[in-house]
Every structure is written in structure tokens, then in C-alpha cells.
């Protein structure tokens, strides 16, 4: 459109700037044809170079200089030349208006495009930040290797042969619970503080209360005042147990003792509380998985889980109870006195043991050396 309009002042200049010859004919001078071409080229050369205000100023100055030159810098005596001059002036003005309009349209488009890009960039940053927070929150509820598969396939289940499971219950919480004040909300806040203190132990090595030994331990859920956790539910630990390394079950037992210490510390800095806890422990095959669609739930199932729960329910306050089948994996590191026969629902009478304390480092070393020699 600009090039088309630029032809009109070109024809006008060629028409109106000629000179008469001796015999009365007019010869056309095409020297001024370059002026509108320069005007058009100035626009395109500056199209993506400078701000539109500067470009508009340059275009107006060029057009004004051209019009002034046509009015003052040329003299014509015949009507045809004057009409050609006027036609050229009108063409230059039309060209200026067209270029200015196109420049304004381009500026508006660029502004809209820039605004849109800025909005998209801002929204993209917000989306990435929200995705990061969502992923972190999701990984606190579900183990990372589980969530990665679940998000890609929308389903997950896996069987493990060697998993440690514990149930740690605050035995006298329901004696403490009272609904007369705020509907029991104050009591729930106290329970929440206990659970958070235990959660802090598993928050990672950057947490001062955490321990690298507990990296393989996963919190499964809480049911009322009962805290459920398991170790060995990850590919790395699973491979280690296949090679005969059952260190994670030893670390899980250390974690149980840390839970008992945590409840004691809570009682010491919380006025008027004397919470007690008992823990059930078991080791064996389990299956973990995610169930549900709208509100998914990660959980573990199996006889190992059920028996660990029974060890807790039949246990003794302040003690960690476990079945005799766990002894080969823990006997080198802990003192495991025999409790005797215990009536267990669904199992009948079972021989159970208590884990009372960790053996000395020297005794553990001797036990491990003897085990390695026997192998």
C-alpha cells in the first residue's frame, strides 16, 4: 500500500518539474522522483530500528522538507506544471499519512504482542512455581518414585519381599481427648504437634533432627493417634535386600527408639501432659499401591502389615514388640528379650519379643564378625 501511494507523488513530481524547450514543448525532469522513494525507504529502514516516536518525527521532517522544497524551491509558469506540483504535494501528504497510520498500527500490534508475551511469561512463571509446589506437596504424601510412575500411568502397585513396618500409638490420647472445649480442637492441636515432631525426623538431611540412616523410611499414614511407617519401599533399598543387606530394618528399629525419645521430650516441654506410647514391629513381604481416582491414597497391604498392627495392639506401654521371625535380622544389634506367648487375633498364640536397647558398638562388631565367619 505504501509503495502504491508513493507512485502518485513520483508521477506528480515528474509531471510538474519539467522545463519548456525553445519550441514550446516541455521536457520532464525526473530528479525529484527520488524524494518519495527516499521517504518510503526511510520508513522501511527504520521499521525495526528505533522507537516509533523517533521514526514519526523523521518521517514528518522528511515530508515537510519535500513539500517546502516543492513550494519554494521550484518555479513553474504553465498550468500543467502547477497542477503536477500540487498533485505531487497531495501525494506526499497522502504518503505521509499512510506511513504514519501503518507505523501506528505496527506500534499498537507490537505493544499488544509485548503485553501478551509479558502476560504469558508471567503466567508461565506462576504455573511453574505452582507446579513445583504441587510436586513437592505430592512427594510429601507419596514417595517420589511412586508419584513419577503414577503421574505417567495413573496407576501404581508393587510387591516387596523385605519391608519393615511399624505402628506407633499414643496409648492414652483418648483419655486426654475432651470435646467440651472447642469441640476437641485443642486436643487435636496437641496430637498434631506430636505427629509433626515425628514427621520432622523424616524431613531430610537438611533438617537438624533428621538422620541419613532414616532415608529409606516412609511415613504411610496416621489413624487417630497411631503413626504408621515403613522402610524398604524404594528400588534402591529393594536391590540392597536382594543382595543380603538388611540394614534398613536396623535403622527402622533405631527410628522406633527415637520416636519413644520424642514423646518423652514432648512431655518435658508441654505442661500437663504425660503421653505414653507403644510400638508394634514386623518385617516381611508387603504390597504397596495407590487406590482411588479423585482423592488418591497411598497405602501398603499384606499379612506383614496386619501382624505389625497386632504387635502394637497387644504390646506394652513404653516397649517395642516384634514377632520371633524378626530376630535373625536384629539380634546382632539389639537386646531382644523373650516376652513369651501372646494371643494374637487371627494367629493364635505367638512367641513375641521386646526390643529394649541397642547393644554396644563393640558387641555389634563382634557379632557381625562372627556372622561373617559363619557364612
Amino acid at each position: 500500500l505504501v509503495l502504491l501511494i508513493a507512485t502518485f507523488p513520483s508521477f506528480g513530481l515528474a509531471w510538474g518539474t519539467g522545463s519548456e524547450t525553445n519550441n514550446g514543448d516541455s521536457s520532464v525532469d525526473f530528479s525529484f522522483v527520488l524524494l518519495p522513494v527516499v521517504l518510503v525507504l526511510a520508513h522501511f529502514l527504520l521499521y525495526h530500528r528505533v522507537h516509533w516516536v523517533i521514526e514519526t518525527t523523521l518521517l514528518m521532517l522528511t515530508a515537510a522538507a519535500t513539500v517546502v522544497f516543492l513550494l519554494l524551491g521550484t518555479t513553474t509558469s504553465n498550468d500543467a506544471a502547477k497542477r503536477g506540483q500540487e498533485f505531487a504535494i497531495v501525494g506526499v501528504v497522502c504518503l505521509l499519512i499512510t506511513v504514519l497510520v501503518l507505523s501506528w498500527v505496527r506500534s499498537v500490534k507490537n505493544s499488544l504482542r509485548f503485553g501478551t508475551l509479558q502476560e504469558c511469561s508471567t503466567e508461565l512463571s506462576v504455573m511453574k512455581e505452582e507446579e513445583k509446589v504441587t510436586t513437592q506437596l505430592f512427594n510429601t504424601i507419596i514417595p517420589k518414585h511412586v508419584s513419577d510412575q503414577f503421574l505417567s500411568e495413573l496407576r501404581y502397585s508393587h510387591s516387596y519381599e523385605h519391608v519393615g513396618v511399624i505402628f506407633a500409638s499414643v496409648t492414652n490420647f483418648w483419655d486426654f481427648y475432651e470435646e467440651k472445649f472447642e469441640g476437641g480442637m485443642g486436643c487435636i492441636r496437641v496430637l498434631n504437634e506430636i505427629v509433626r515432631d515425628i514427621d520432622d525426623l523424616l524431613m531430610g538431611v537438611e533438617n537438624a533432627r533428621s538422620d541419613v540412616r532414616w532415608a529409606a523410611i516412609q511415613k504411610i499414614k496416621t489413624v487417630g493417634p497411631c503413626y504408621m511407617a515403613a522402610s524398604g519401599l524404594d528400588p534402591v533399598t529393594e536391590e540392597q535386600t536382594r543382595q543380603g543387606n538388611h540394614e534398613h530394618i536396623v535403622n527402622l528399629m533405631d527410628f522406633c527408639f527415637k520416636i519413644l525419645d520424642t514423646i518423652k521430650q514432648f512431655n518435658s516441654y508441654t505442661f500437663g501432659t504425660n503421653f505414653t506410647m507403644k510400638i508394634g514391629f514386623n518385617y516381611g513381604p508387603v504390597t504397596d499401591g495407590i487406590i482411588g481416582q479423585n482423592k488418591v491414597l497411598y497405602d501398603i497391604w499384606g499379612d506383614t502389615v496386619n501382624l505389625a498392627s497386632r504387635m502394637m495392639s497387644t504390646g506394652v506401654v513404653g516397649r517395642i514388640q516384634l514377632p520371633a521371625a524378626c530376630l535373625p535380622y536384629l539380634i546382632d544389634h539389639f537386646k531382644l528379650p523373650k516376652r513369651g506367648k501372646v494371643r494374637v487375633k487371627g494367629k493364635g498364640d505367638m512367641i513375641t519379643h521386646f526390643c529394649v536397647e541397642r547393644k554396644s558398638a563393640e558387641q555389634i562388631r563382634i557379632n557381625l564378625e562372627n556372622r561373617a565367619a559363619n557364612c
Side-chain angles (χ1 to χ4, degrees):
L1 180 61
V2 175
L3 292 176
L4 179 62
I5 296 178
T7 58
F8 290 105
S10 299
F11 289 137
L13 289 172
W15 178 13
T17 57
S19 61
E20 294 184 356
T21 59
N22 295 330
N23 57 8
D25 298 330
S26 59
S27 62
V28 180
D29 183 4
F30 291 95
S31 60
F32 294 106
V33 175
L34 296 176
L35 292 177
V37 176
V38 171
L39 186 62
V40 175
L41 290 178
H43 171 68
F44 282 101
L45 289 174
L46 297 173
Y47 197 81
H48 292 292
R49 298 292 182 180
V50 296
H51 193 271
W52 68 273
V53 175
I54 301 176
E55 180 181 340
T56 301
T57 302
L58 292 175
L59 291 173
M60 292 184 68
L61 290 176
T62 304
T66 304
V67 173
V68 170
F69 183 79
L70 290 173
L71 291 175
L72 303 178
T74 60
T75 57
T76 56
S77 58
N78 55 59
D79 294 337
K82 288 182 179 180
R83 288 195 298 272
Q85 190 181 56
E86 293 172 355
F87 184 81
I89 293 173
V90 172
V92 170
V93 173
C94 291
L95 176 62
L96 173 64
I97 294 174
T98 303
V99 171
L100 289 177
V101 170
L102 293 177
S103 178
W104 176 78
V105 171
R106 187 256 303 172
S107 178
V108 171
K109 287 183 177 180
N110 287 342
S111 299
L112 292 176
R113 186 181 297 111
F114 178 77
T116 303
L117 291 175
Q118 286 292 98
E119 291 177 359
C120 291
S121 177
T122 303
E123 291 179 0
L124 182 61
S125 300
V126 172
M127 289 175 62
K128 288 183 177 180
E129 186 63 27
E130 291 179 349
E131 181 182 5
K132 181 180 178 180
V133 173
T134 302
T135 302
Q136 291 177 346
L137 178 61
F138 197 64
N139 288 337
T140 61
I141 301 173
I142 299 175
K144 187 178 185 306
H145 71 280
V146 176
S147 63
D148 291 342
Q149 181 176 338
F150 177 75
L151 292 176
S152 61
E153 302 179 8
L154 298 180
R155 60 179 180 271
Y156 173 82
S157 62
H158 187 77
S159 295
Y160 295 88
E161 291 298 322
H162 303 92
V163 175
V165 183
I166 64 169
F167 284 84
S169 178
V170 182
T171 56
N172 57 344
F173 174 76
W174 294 118
D175 298 331
F176 169 80
Y177 184 77
E178 179 60 62
E179 291 187 352
K180 292 181 180 180
F181 179 71
E182 294 185 343
M185 288 193 298
C187 300
I188 297 302
R189 293 192 192 101
V190 173
L191 178 61
N192 179 58
E193 291 300 320
I194 296 175
V195 173
R196 287 170 64 93
D197 285 348
I198 300 175
D199 284 343
D200 283 344
L201 303 176
L202 301 177
M203 289 299 291
V205 295
E206 68 278 0
N207 191 306
R209 300 186 63 224
S210 185
D211 195 310
V212 293
R213 296 175 299 165
W214 304 329
I217 302 175
Q218 297 284 345
K219 174 186 176 181
I220 304 300
K221 60 184 177 182
T222 57
V223 182
C226 184
Y227 191 98
M228 179 183 178
S231 67
L233 296 172
D234 63 90
V236 176
T237 309
E238 181 184 24
E239 182 61 28
Q240 291 175 350
T241 56
R242 287 175 181 172
Q243 298 175 3
N245 182 357
H246 298 269
E247 184 180 2
H248 73 94
I249 187 177
V250 177
N251 295 334
L252 183 61
M253 184 60 75
D254 286 330
F255 179 69
C256 292
F257 282 109
K258 190 63 177 179
I259 292 178
L260 296 177
D261 291 339
T262 299
I263 199 69
K264 292 178 181 178
Q265 293 175 8
F266 183 86
N267 290 330
S268 65
Y269 65 71
T270 305
F271 178 76
T273 61
N274 186 28
F275 291 113
T276 57
M277 181 172 282
K278 59 182 179 180
I279 300 176
F281 189 104
N282 197 18
Y283 188 55
V286 303
T287 298
D288 72 335
I290 296 179
I291 58 175
Q293 180 175 354
N294 297 328
K295 192 174 182 180
V296 298
L297 172 67
Y298 175 74
D299 207 346
I300 59 177
W301 300 268
D303 187 64
T304 301
V305 179
N306 297 333
L307 186 54
S309 177
R310 299 289 182 265
M311 291 294 100
M312 182 274 297
S313 60
T314 61
V316 177
V317 173
R319 294 293 187 93
I320 305 168
Q321 183 174 232
L322 62 154
C326 296
L327 264 62
Y329 306 101
L330 299 170
I331 193 65
D332 293 334
H333 297 80
F334 302 95
K335 295 180 180 179
L336 305 170
K338 181 178 178 181
R339 180 187 181 185
K341 291 184 178 180
V342 177
R343 176 74 62 175
V344 178
K345 183 179 179 181
K347 296 292 184 178
D349 293 337
M350 292 188 65
I351 301 296
T352 65
H353 292 254
F354 290 130
C355 186
V356 293
E357 63 178 340
R358 189 179 181 90
K359 293 180 178 179
S360 64
E362 180 64 21
Q363 185 62 52
I364 293 174
R365 183 185 63 81
I366 294 174
N367 292 340
L368 294 178
E369 290 177 353
N370 292 336
R371 181 179 292 273
N374 294 331
C375 293

